[in-house]
Amino acid sequence: MGAITDQELLARLPDTLIDHDNKEFYRGWLERRLVLNRCADCGFWHHAPRAWCPQCWSHNVVPTEVSGRGTVHLLIFLHQGPPAPGVDYSTPHPVATIELAEQEGLRIQSTIVNCARDDMRIGMPVKLTWVERYGAPYPVFEPAEA
Amino acid sequence: MFRNPIKDKIAFVGVGSTGFFRDANARTRNDMAIEASIKAIRDAGLGQADIDGVVGTAPAAREIVEALGLPKVTHFSNQPMPLVFGVVDAMNAVFSGAAETVLMYHALYRAPAISRSAANDPFRRGLGFGGSPAPAPTRHDPEVLGAEGYAAWMSRYFHEFNAPREVLGMIAVNERSGAVKNPLAAMREPITMDDYLSARMVREPLCLLDMDVPVDGADAFVITTAERAKDMPHKPVLIHAATNGITARNKEENLDGLRHHGQHVVLEALRAKSDIWIPDIDVYFPYDGFTPITLQWIENTGWCKPGEGYDFLKDNWDEANQRIMIDGRIPMNTHGGNHSEGGTQGSGHIREAITQLRGDAGERQVAGAKNAFLTPGGMFFNAQGLVLRTD
Ligand SMILES: [Zn+2]
């Protein structure tokens, strides 16, 4: 980290609400690294990013890269919705909540790519990959071997 | 925890509604909130000088105070939706003496983003959810948020329990069967299971008939002490128990799971606070903004075990009237719920419960109804419970 300045971060994600709590999460996007908050005292991960550990109330929370491995926990298909780049509601568009391997209940929302619709299901193992959206990298998931 | 010193001490004494409508019309949210408020105050046999508390969702309480010309108000606040947040604030205000008689109001307004006819109304430009000014636009990445959250946890339910879609279809059909007899409802044509199963998918696994419809309209209520209620025009409807509930992991994608969320907190608290429990109730109002919410309430309230909702609803299905009739006796959402009145955020459920307990529900009336059990809100950050009774 550090290569991407705050100015650059804000310039490349102009329509995203970035603040001091989530800036490292989004800076990670630009480096194609999925960075979530982990407590340096008790080791607990949480997301969305907050300044204090919800487990032990430590302020010593460190943005830390995750492996990108996980399983599909929730999965829906949107047949309509507000227009968005790279989102095709006619397919329909899959929206997945991924439970990450790092910790039970540590989840992130995204979509699934490189997978036929009929092969997508809750419980399937996935791994992180990146697509371009709004002119910047965006984390998505694709099938992985179990 | 779970003390209930306010039990039966506060009563609903007035109700007013504009009814709910899908059509574009030339009225504002304020216009409708004021109409419902005037009706509720008049229904209670009161006037401007009698109202010293004002609690509402939107518009701002101070605007309603000004619009109604209320001369002296000592408690006023705005609360989130659904309506039990407001009920708890209003009843506590009366119990504590912060106010003697509280007007509670709720108005709904279709936003251009969710209603085609609203989008065609040039005077709704710039309005967001519920008719409040829309926030500044940001990038959109479809996520499990709000409506999508209910679809997502229903996908999890189907994954865990392998239930058929009819489990939601029975709820949808039940709601519309109630609305047929409710002149305030927006959607009054009955639907069949075939209609449900062939409705187009929107947020799969949820279809068009799994959700409430955007509407315009307003409800209002008057709340005061049970003591004072004895001398008022209508049979008092007492607040026996009320609570809200939330867990640490309450954001849509972060729930611990279908067996631990806000509803479980509500039900534990309500069970401890209330002398009346489900075998004793006469009319039942589980929330139905999305049908999975209703299914979750039914299972979590203990009518049946988790995952057994389909068998429960089938066993308690009144085929002749196309509705749910628990133990052959207890109907559910007799007014058609949010599903058919529109997204009233629970104000419709409360209005109908009061109407039923007063004995004023006309052809929907449940004979001799004395106890009503309401569970407004969803699973994430707005689960609520309310037990109402009358003597
Ligand atoms: Zn910690």
Side-chain angles (χ1 to χ4, degrees):
Chain A
M1 260 172 282
I4 290 158
T5 65
D6 291 350
Q7 252 72 27
E8 210 179 326
L9 173 62
L10 293 166
R12 291 202 52 200
L13 295 168
D15 302 319
T16 304
L17 297 170
I18 304 180
D19 60 21
H20 289 296
D21 285 343
N22 65 25
K23 63 189 179 188
E24 299 312 328
F25 174 70
Y26 288 112
R27 208 188 313 266
W29 281 20
L30 299 183
E31 300 166 336
R32 296 181 178 243
R33 299 165 52 215
L34 187 57
V35 173
L36 305 188
N37 274 3
R38 187 176 198 196
C39 177
D41 287 338
C42 78
F44 190 80
W45 297 85
H46 71 264
H47 187 69
R50 295 192 175 86
W52 295 80
C53 172
Q55 191 79 359
C56 76
W57 298 354
S58 165
H59 200 225
N60 193 8
V61 160
V62 180
T64 307
E65 188 170 2
V66 296
S67 66
R69 294 274 173 171
T71 54
V72 175
H73 194 77
L74 305 173
L75 177 65
I76 58 172
F77 296 93
L78 296 183
H79 293 249
Q80 66 183 63
V87 174
D88 182 357
Y89 294 108
S90 72
T91 15
H93 178 72
V95 176
T97 297
I98 310 300
E99 178 139 329
L100 296 169
E102 275 71 13
Q103 179 178 292
E104 188 183 342
L106 180 67
R107 299 182 196 140
I108 186 159
Q109 307 215 42
S110 183
T111 189
I112 300 174
V113 299
N114 304 329
C115 184
R117 190 214 142 136
D118 289 345
D119 293 336
M120 294 180 196
R121 53 181 44 86
I122 288 177
M124 74 186 270
V126 290
K127 64 182 199 295
L128 177 69
T129 183
W130 296 85
V131 296
E132 286 281 312
R133 261 200 208 167
Y134 296 88
Y138 177 75
V140 298
F141 289 81
E142 62 183 359
E145 289 73 47
Chain B
M1 280 175 117
F2 307 143
R3 290 179 309 117
N4 194 17
I6 201 170
K7 180 166 68 187
D8 299 334
K9 296 265 199 292
I10 309 297
F12 283 99
V13 294
V15 185
S17 181
T18 60
F20 292 85
F21 312 95
R22 294 204 72 185
D23 330 287
N25 60 39
R27 301 183 65 183
T28 62
R29 186 175 65 172
N30 278 24
D31 173 348
M32 294 181 292
I34 296 162
E35 176 187 328
S37 297
I38 292 170
K39 283 178 167 168
I41 297 168
R42 285 190 173 144
D43 180 62
L46 300 175
Q48 285 154 315
D50 300 309
I51 302 296
D52 60 354
V54 175
V55 174
T57 52
R62 59 144 291 275
E63 278 193 59
I64 294 298
V65 172
E66 183 166 298
L68 294 174
L70 305 181
K72 204 178 287 180
V73 170
T74 56
H75 178 83
F76 54 104
S77 77
N78 285 95
Q79 299 290 329
M81 296 176 255
L83 270 278
V84 175
F85 291 123
V87 172
V88 169
D89 183 62
M91 72 190 216
N92 287 347
V94 173
F95 193 58
S96 71
E100 176 81 9
T101 305
V102 176
L103 166 71
M104 210 184 97
Y105 63 90
H106 170 58
L108 282 160
Y109 209 47
R110 286 166 302 121
I114 57 164
S115 160
R116 206 164 293 147
S117 56
N120 290 333
D121 178 354
F123 293 102
R124 295 188 190 226
R125 273 179 310 187
L127 295 184
F129 178 71
S132 297
T138 56
R139 64 180 280 166
H140 179 71
D141 301 298
E143 283 192 350
V144 171
L145 279 180
E148 288 76 16
Y150 297 110
W153 284 100
M154 195 62 210
S155 77
R156 189 80 203 172
Y157 184 96
F158 284 131
H159 171 77
E160 290 185 19
F161 300 116
N162 198 29
R165 288 187 61 218
E166 281 85 346
V167 67
L168 301 181
M170 281 188 280
I171 293 167
V173 172
N174 173 82
E175 305 306 73
R176 201 56 60 80
S177 297
V180 168
K181 296 179 181 173
N182 176 10
L184 299 179
M187 309 291 283
R188 302 189 61 197
E189 286 295 311
I191 56 170
T192 65
M193 185 61 80
D194 284 345
D195 293 333
Y196 175 82
L197 293 173
S198 58
R200 75 182 165 84
M201 282 290 171
V202 178
R203 302 174 184 97
E204 194 175 339
L206 300 189
C207 70
L208 194 62
L209 291 175
D210 282 309
M211 52 186 178
D212 57 22
V213 289
V215 286
D216 293 336
D219 278 318
F221 306 91
V222 176
I223 290 171
T224 191
T225 62
E227 196 55 38
R228 186 145 182 250
K230 287 177 190 162
D231 304 322
M232 297 180 75
H234 295 283
K235 188 201 281 187
V237 172
L238 303 175
I239 302 175
H240 182 70
T243 191
N244 302 304
I246 193 169
T247 66
R249 294 174 58 86
N250 57 64
K251 191 171 178 306
E252 288 90 336
E253 76 276 22
N254 278 344
L255 283 198
D256 288 317
L258 290 167
R259 288 173 190 76
H260 188 237
H261 51 66
Q263 292 186 354
H264 300 84
V265 178
V266 164
L267 290 161
E268 186 188 353
L270 210 57
R271 187 75 191 90
K273 286 170 188 270
S274 179
D275 302 330
I276 298 161
W277 202 244
I278 52 176
D280 314 317
I281 68 172
D282 303 303
V283 58
Y284 180 39
F285 296 96
Y287 201 67
D288 63 331
F290 293 92
T291 53
I293 299 174
T294 321
L295 176 61
Q296 275 288 290
W297 276 122
I298 289 170
E299 293 186 358
N300 294 329
T301 301
W303 293 106
C304 61
K305 292 202 178 77
E308 293 181 357
Y310 176 64
D311 287 336
F312 173 79
L313 294 177
K314 225 172 25 158
D315 293 347
N316 290 279
W317 185 251
D318 169 5
E319 181 63 27
N321 296 299
Q322 291 294 297
R323 63 173 177 172
I324 294 155
M325 199 64 156
I326 301 171
D327 296 335
R329 187 181 76 79
I330 306 167
M332 180 179 109
N333 291 333
T334 43
H335 62 311
N338 273 13
H339 186 271
S340 301
E341 278 201 335
T344 68
Q345 294 285 336
S347 69
H349 299 79
I350 296 172
R351 179 204 341 107
E352 176 73 356
I354 295 167
T355 307
Q356 288 282 357
L357 297 190
R358 280 182 175 184
D360 291 341
E363 57 173 333
R364 303 188 311 283
Q365 184 64 45
V366 177
K370 286 189 176 311
N371 300 323
F373 191 92
L374 299 84
T375 48
M379 290 107 75
F380 309 121
F381 31 71
N382 60 14
Q384 312 181 323
L386 182 63
V387 180
L388 301 179
R389 59 169 285 258
T390 188
D391 285 323

